[in-house]
Amino acid sequence: QVQLVESGGGLVQAGGSLRLSCAASGRTFSSYAMGWFRQAPGKEREFVAAISWSGASTDYADSVKGRFTISRDNAKNTVWLQMNSLKPEDTAVYYCTGRRYSGTAYLRSSYDYWGQGTQVTVSS
């Protein structure tokens, strides 16, 4: 199994950038597709981005496309979410997640492992 720990959240001004990291422990990480979800206060947890096991394929929510970039380095057991041109609407708790399959997915139920989340706050 895999344990996921997010870091890099914090307070940033609108238009700024932030990079989230997800450190994974486990021997099968390289075979897992990975993703990021977020949840704002009073709202449902929503899909943000996903990356296939090899890193060759990525998917993004329309709301972040062109601004966010997901990447991974299996040798380092790490997944990143680079967030540029941040908006106040991006304020949420961001969760790292993984699934025991190579391909990307959009639904929460498709993922098997979750981190505890890291808070991102974007001020206007």
Side-chain angles (χ1 to χ4, degrees):
Q1 59 181 330
V2 174
Q3 182 179 4
L4 306 174
V5 180
E6 304 96 333
S7 63
L11 176 65
V12 64
Q13 293 183 334
S17 298
L18 203 62
R19 185 174 68 175
L20 306 182
S21 297
C22 176
S25 61
R27 302 179 68 179
T28 60
F29 173 79
S30 62
S31 298
Y32 286 29
M34 303 293 294
W36 289 91
F37 282 68
R38 67 186 182 186
Q39 187 167 20
K43 297 183 179 180
E44 298 293 326
R45 191 172 300 186
E46 65 177 357
F47 171 80
V48 176
I51 187 167
S52 63
W53 74 271
S54 68
S57 179
T58 57
D59 291 294
Y60 298 93
D62 289 341
S63 60
V64 306
K65 194 171 299 181
R67 299 188 297 120
F68 290 11
T69 302
I70 187 171
S71 59
R72 69 189 298 165
D73 188 334
N74 292 339
K76 297 181 179 180
N77 294 327
T78 303
V79 178
W80 297 274
L81 184 68
Q82 178 67 48
M83 305 184 294
N84 298 325
S85 301
L86 283 163
K87 306 174 181 179
E89 305 93 273
D90 296 317
T91 295
V93 176
Y94 284 71
Y95 297 89
C96 178
T97 186
R99 63 194 300 257
R100 296 172 295 175
Y101 304 92
S102 61
T104 58
Y106 297 93
L107 302 178
R108 288 185 295 170
S109 60
S110 297
Y111 290 87
D112 303 293
Y113 303 101
W114 294 85
Q116 295 300 308
T118 185
Q119 176 71 48
V120 172
T121 303
V122 184
S123 62
S124 60

